[in-house]
Amino acid sequence: MALQVVWFKRDLRIHDHRPLVEAARRGPVLPLYVVEPELWQRPDGSARQWDFCLEALQDLNNALAGLGQPLVVRVGEVVAMLEAAHGRHGIDGLWSHQETGNLWTYARDRRVAAWARDRGIPWQEFASFGVIRGLKDRRGWARSWEQRMAEPLQAPPAALSPLVGIAPRTLPTSGDLGLAADPCPQRQRGGRQAGRELLEGFLRQRGRGYHRRLSSPLTAFEACSRLSPHLAWGTLSMGEVVQETRERRLALAELPANAAAGWPRALDAFVSRLHWHCHFIQKLERQPLIEIQELHPATRGLRHTDPERLAAWSEGRTGVPFVDACMRALHHSGWINFRMRAMLLSFASHHLWIDWRDSGLHLARQFVDYEPGIHWSQCQMQSGTTGINTIRIYNPVKQGLDHDPDGLFLGRWLPELAAVPAIWRHEPWRMDPGTQEACGCRIGLDYPAPIVDVATAAREARERLWGLRRQPGFGAAADAIQERHGSRRSGLPPFGKGRVPRRRIADGQLCLDLGLDPASRSVT
């Protein structure tokens, strides 16, 4: 029987893996993962991401070995690896999930498609998440997402025939791939088992207060599902997470009211987040240049990065405590909650006037759960370059006071401020010199002075961005962007001739940024 190659990419599991199931029905399966050094050396790759991926691959290899055929790992360029396998063994079919990755993976997949056509080898790709390839119109997308999430989960094959004469290879380390040292002491563990433990813990213990506790970094590390890296690397499927969440939601109806209290709203909010996860990836699927080019042409060339400001922001030494604490926590763990991601991007874009591509690349490397479709859509959204979202400029001092009123989070991540009284901790530059001396926190020496005046920088950014939106033709271009990428449930009217779009909000920004819970969409 002819050889079927299952090419694993960001779908590192055997459960609910349709390419594996379909390939196994047609012949012996070669389960292949190609480690691509060129991909990992791109500026959005990092050792912390590879280390998570490596653990997931080890788990996947054990699962495949249990079926009878371990994972076949090769290092190099995918087309060359496929050509070698075809020349030696003969490939009758290539199977994989679709990938909505960065521009490099997009170009690579086009090369693979051309190779498969030239060799007369059918390449069957199956949808990932709720993303629809080739979609031209977003009408009905939410309904299609629901239909996909309701599809039966695929059980793994009962067994795979062992392949003779294909030698196993050792998975490379991050050092082997030339990745810079990247200590991340609290990085999440990769692999399906770790993902399953997180899902079970969230649905049965941690998730009860999700909708109330996800915004503050004090509570979010425990209250959020923490499933994002497992969805990004495919150790769990979106379908199984949605279905198990909804099964848990139904089971709550059988519990006494006091036992179920808080759970329904929390789980509804979580499912809505999963919906928006796919909504944002769909944008990059439709328009891959979102990674490098502003959506609205009027915002192109708007910012020019100051390297010193970028370095201070990246290293958590801007002199604005809540920004610095969030950045240091992210560096230490590879994760931080959504609101703080938005604040970090907003501060870089608006207060420091850093180009979103530069700040976006730093954050991409920090995030173990880096998902290009979500990440680059959010970079543009938070920096005000989409043209269809309201301009949101976060006040980092207010954010800190709202979400860390006693300065506990600051005290943990900024030891320089540990002895500063809570009343001054969010704005230590307001202390008089005597108080600074007494606290052992001299501004400009022990802890940096603010890199910018927060209020002045915000005002200047607001004036620049709203000035752009008043230019002739801005609204017409924004309407075209909304038609292409916007949620059809947003109900937004067009800008209209001559009207300044002061309150235009699209794509769930009101819900995702502010933590509100509109009755029509339980997004928090």
Side-chain angles (χ1 to χ4, degrees), residues 56-78:
L57 286 168
Q58 292 166 340
D59 205 4
L60 173 62
N61 179 61
N62 292 337
L64 286 166
L67 297 180
Q69 171 55 51
L71 184 67
V72 175
V73 176
R74 295 293 183 264
V75 178
E77 197 272 326
V78 171

Side-chain angles (χ1 to χ4, degrees), residues 12-174:
L12 305 181
R13 63 182 186 274
I14 64 170
H15 296 268
D16 198 27
H17 197 290
R18 191 174 171 192
L20 179 61
V21 171
E22 295 294 338
R25 289 172 178 165
R26 289 162 175 80
V29 171
L30 190 161
L32 176 68
Y33 184 84
V34 179
V35 183
E36 302 164 279
E38 187 178 347
L39 169 62
W40 285 101
Q41 290 163 11
R42 301 293 299 169
D44 53 352
S46 64
R48 63 184 58 193
Q49 295 167 1
W50 171 249
D51 290 342
F52 184 95
C53 179
L54 180 61
E55 291 165 354
L57 286 168
Q58 292 166 340
D59 205 4
L60 173 62
N61 179 61
N62 292 337
L64 286 166
L67 297 180
Q69 171 55 51
L71 184 67
V72 175
V73 176
R74 295 293 183 264
V75 178
E77 197 272 326
V78 171
V79 170
M81 297 300 106
L82 291 172
E83 178 66 19
H86 184 51
R88 189 167 188 177
H89 308 287
I91 297 175
D92 192 57
L94 178 62
W95 305 79
S96 72
H97 277 110
Q98 295 168 353
E99 180 180 5
T100 305
N102 59 19
L103 283 168
W104 191 93
T105 65
Y106 176 62
R108 174 254 276 148
D109 282 359
R110 290 170 66 90
R111 293 194 302 272
V112 171
W115 173 85
R117 284 195 304 270
D118 289 345
R119 298 294 182 272
I121 298 171
W123 180 16
Q124 299 291 329
E125 293 184 278
F126 295 91
S128 294
F129 307 131
V131 177
I132 302 172
R133 179 151 293 179
L135 183 69
K136 300 299 183 184
D137 191 325
R138 290 296 291 261
R139 292 174 179 84
W141 182 87
R143 183 170 57 253
S144 296
W145 186 87
E146 291 289 350
Q147 291 170 348
R148 286 194 175 184
M149 294 304 107
E151 290 176 357
L153 303 180
Q154 300 284 315
L160 297 176
S161 300
L163 301 175
V164 178
I166 300 180
R169 302 283 173 84
T170 302
L171 285 160
T173 66
S174 57

Side-chain angles (χ1 to χ4, degrees), residues 335-383:
W335 184 90
I336 200 163
N337 57 319
F338 180 87
R339 180 183 282 270
M340 298 306 103
R341 296 183 190 211
M343 185 201 67
L344 287 171
L345 273 167
S346 173
F347 187 80
S349 296
H350 303 309
H351 293 85
L352 304 184
W353 212 242
I354 291 170
D355 189 296
W356 59 272
R357 283 161 286 239
D358 296 324
S359 55
L361 282 172
H362 173 74
L363 291 177
R365 292 188 293 269
Q366 295 296 299
F367 294 151
V368 175
D369 61 4
Y370 170 52
E371 178 66 68
I374 300 173
H375 181 70
W376 295 113
S377 295
Q378 284 296 319
C379 285
Q380 293 220 35
M381 184 169 150
Q382 301 300 340
S383 64

Side-chain angles (χ1 to χ4, degrees), residues 274-484:
L274 297 175
H275 172 99
W276 287 108
H277 168 285
C278 300
H279 169 75
F280 283 112
I281 297 175
Q282 185 72 58
K283 294 172 183 285
L284 189 67
E285 175 67 33
R286 177 76 191 275
Q287 192 168 343
L289 286 177
I290 284 176
E291 179 186 344
I292 60 171
Q293 185 180 81
E294 291 86 348
L295 274 170
H296 200 294
T299 65
R300 292 171 190 166
L302 181 63
R303 295 179 172 92
H304 300 282
T305 299
D306 180 327
E308 292 185 3
R309 287 187 171 189
L310 176 61
W313 174 81
S314 301
E315 296 165 12
R317 50 179 181 84
T318 67
V320 181
F322 202 52
V323 172
D324 292 344
C326 287
M327 187 63 80
R328 294 187 196 183
L330 170 59
H331 179 74
H332 196 76
S333 68
W335 184 90
I336 200 163
N337 57 319
F338 180 87
R339 180 183 282 270
M340 298 306 103
R341 296 183 190 211
M343 185 201 67
L344 287 171
L345 273 167
S346 173
F347 187 80
S349 296
H350 303 309
H351 293 85
L352 304 184
W353 212 242
I354 291 170
D355 189 296
W356 59 272
R357 283 161 286 239
D358 296 324
S359 55
L361 282 172
H362 173 74
L363 291 177
R365 292 188 293 269
Q366 295 296 299
F367 294 151
V368 175
D369 61 4
Y370 170 52
E371 178 66 68
I374 300 173
H375 181 70
W376 295 113
S377 295
Q378 284 296 319
C379 285
Q380 293 220 35
M381 184 169 150
Q382 301 300 340
S383 64
T385 60
T386 67
I388 63 174
N389 302 103
T390 192
I391 297 169
R392 174 154 295 282
I393 300 177
Y394 286 78
N395 181 332
V397 176
K398 182 179 184 301
Q399 289 293 310
L401 291 169
D402 286 348
H403 298 293
D404 184 29
D406 298 322
L408 300 177
F409 184 73
L410 299 187
R412 177 180 180 186
W413 295 106
L414 303 176
E416 309 98 303
L417 304 183
V420 173
I423 191 173
W424 301 116
R425 201 169 283 180
H426 287 278
E427 299 175 277
W429 58 86
R430 297 181 60 191
M431 293 188 296
D432 61 63
T435 305
Q436 294 181 29
E437 193 73 35
C439 296
C441 184
R442 296 161 297 172
I443 301 304
L445 294 174
D446 302 305
Y447 182 70
I451 196 169
V452 292
D453 180 273
V454 171
T456 301
R459 182 176 65 252
E460 291 175 351
R462 194 173 292 110
E463 290 171 355
R464 288 182 187 182
L465 292 169
W466 283 119
L468 281 179
R469 294 197 171 201
R470 294 187 182 93
Q471 291 180 355
F474 187 97
D479 284 336
I481 296 166
Q482 170 66 15
E483 178 64 24
R484 188 173 194 179

Side-chain angles (χ1 to χ4, degrees), residues 179-247:
L179 295 170
D182 185 20
C184 189
Q186 293 184 357
R187 176 183 60 80
Q188 288 180 246
R189 183 165 51 91
R192 181 171 175 82
Q193 181 179 346
R196 289 297 312 173
E197 290 171 0
L198 282 172
L199 179 59
E200 289 290 327
F202 177 73
L203 293 181
R204 307 207 181 288
Q205 287 100 32
R206 296 183 294 110
R208 185 195 292 267
Y210 171 75
H211 56 299
R212 298 189 306 271
R213 304 174 67 211
L214 80 167
S215 293
S216 171
L218 279 172
T219 54
F221 282 84
E222 175 69 18
C224 287
S225 75
R226 306 299 302 275
L227 293 173
S228 53
H230 293 279
L231 290 171
W233 292 100
T235 58
L236 301 177
S237 77
M238 178 65 75
E240 69 178 310
V241 174
V242 171
Q243 290 187 25
E244 290 190 34
T245 302
R246 287 180 165 161
E247 288 170 5

